[in-house]
Amino acid sequence: MSIVYLNGDWIDASEARISVEDRGFLLSDGVYEVTPAYRGRFFLFDRHLERLRSGLATLRIEMELDGLAEIHDRLLADNELADDEVSYVYLQVTRGVAPRTHAFPKMPVPPTVYAFARPYRRPDRTVWEQGFEAVTVPDRRWARVDVKTIALLPNVLAQQAAVDAGVSDAILVRDGIALEGAHNNFFAVFGRTVVTHPRSNVILPGITREYVIRMARELGFEVDERPIQVEELARADEAFFTGTTTEVRPTVRIDGRPVGSGAVGPVARRLFDAFLERVERHAAGE
């Protein structure tokens, strides 16, 4: 049994229903957010809420955000996830139910609000220490990637390309620039300098990305937010991805070629260990 939230109701997922005229179903007209919890304590919740607020404003979807914290907490409790090491809540808001037209409804309609909770199982540390692989794929997304919309077909196709290649991640490439992953942000390491694409309309402003950048600086690493030419990856010492359900994941091969020594490097390991230490402290209420 899985309890979900839908427009003010708490029901089993098997009983949840939306209208066939919902604009999310018909037009991908909506945004979403995924927030992690460590032993029932949501991590960086305010930053996730702010990104949601920004996306709603960009799409001009009117929604009152009061009460979202309580919804998140109850989803964990009702699904018996409050004591899990890691879990997350997925929240989706669409413009709502209206006759299908490309323009916004002439009269305001209530948004459709849906949320569910799931456990997250991070890879065993022995698997993590072996590292992961990625392939580069063309970036075919729209021009406002910074808005976390539910229109994810290009991301789906990119991740499927990774699955077809038997690897974990896809690196989206546009105009010769390695931008980010299909569902996470991308970093390369040159010496002790951690490099990632700067915030702009062509990448998602990842909450974990932002946290890892700050953490890297606190740990004494140089951070350079600049475009990464795909040709540079051949001389990178390390590479890794970050994200809510990625945390810090090292990449040891790209397009079948080793990154650096072909083994998990010290920078990714240091960042992951520091990340785990900090979320453990957060889970303990420190």
Side-chain angles (χ1 to χ4, degrees), residues 18-277:
I18 65 165
S19 169
V20 293
E21 290 199 320
D22 190 280
R23 288 177 62 91
F25 173 69
L26 291 173
L27 298 164
S28 296
D29 188 356
V31 296
Y32 75 103
E33 195 61 52
V34 184
T35 306
Y38 294 87
R39 295 198 181 90
R41 294 178 62 88
F42 285 97
F43 189 57
L44 303 173
F45 182 79
D46 289 346
R47 295 295 301 124
H48 284 277
L49 196 64
E50 181 56 37
R51 186 170 64 181
L52 175 67
R53 183 180 289 108
S54 176
L56 289 168
T58 300
L59 269 59
R60 293 161 56 187
I61 296 175
E62 295 186 9
M63 174 187 170
E64 183 59 57
L65 300 188
D66 292 345
L68 283 185
E70 290 77 12
I71 290 172
H72 280 62
D73 287 336
R74 180 170 170 180
L75 280 168
L76 292 190
D78 285 1
N79 289 283
E80 300 181 346
L81 294 171
D83 295 325
D84 271 37
E85 183 177 7
V86 193
S87 57
Y88 66 89
V89 167
Y90 175 98
L91 171 71
Q92 176 171 303
V93 182
T94 74
R95 197 174 305 279
V97 177
R100 188 186 186 281
T101 92
H102 284 69
F104 299 160
K106 291 183 179 180
M107 298 297 293
V109 297
T112 298
V113 183
Y114 169 62
F116 65 80
R118 295 282 189 276
Y120 169 67
R121 302 288 181 255
R122 68 168 59 98
D124 186 82
R125 188 61 187 249
T126 58
V127 174
W128 189 96
E129 289 288 350
Q130 294 173 7
F132 301 84
E133 298 188 43
V135 291
T136 56
V137 298
D139 183 9
R140 297 187 175 95
R141 300 171 299 172
W142 74 317
R144 288 302 308 274
V145 176
D146 54 312
V147 183
K148 198 172 176 71
T149 76
I150 61 175
L152 292 173
L153 184 56
N155 304 66
V156 169
L157 294 175
Q159 188 60 34
Q160 186 59 44
V163 170
D164 292 344
V167 303
S168 300
D169 291 292
I171 302 172
L172 300 170
V173 177
R174 181 184 299 181
D175 298 328
I177 304 296
L179 296 171
E180 59 181 346
H183 60 95
N184 39 28
N185 292 112
F186 178 69
F187 291 74
V189 180
F190 302 89
R192 286 183 59 81
T193 300
V194 178
V195 182
T196 191
H197 197 283
R199 283 188 59 157
S200 72
N201 64 297
V202 298
I203 70 163
L204 181 73
I207 307 302
T208 307
R209 169 193 178 276
E210 176 185 87
Y211 188 78
V212 168
I213 286 173
R214 184 168 72 248
M215 188 172 62
R217 288 180 170 135
E218 291 171 357
L219 294 172
F221 296 110
E222 294 292 328
V223 177
D224 190 0
E225 294 184 66
R226 65 165 178 81
I228 303 171
Q229 297 288 335
V230 72
E231 291 84 0
E232 292 183 79
L233 299 178
R235 60 180 181 83
D237 296 297
E238 301 180 41
F240 61 88
F241 291 88
T242 64
T244 295
T245 55
T246 302
E247 298 183 320
V248 179
R249 184 160 68 208
T251 303
V252 296
R253 297 181 72 85
I254 297 174
D255 291 336
R257 296 185 293 273
V259 178
S261 67
V264 176
V267 177
R269 183 176 289 108
R270 180 72 182 94
L271 290 172
F272 187 48
D273 287 342
F275 182 85
L276 293 180
E277 178 185 345

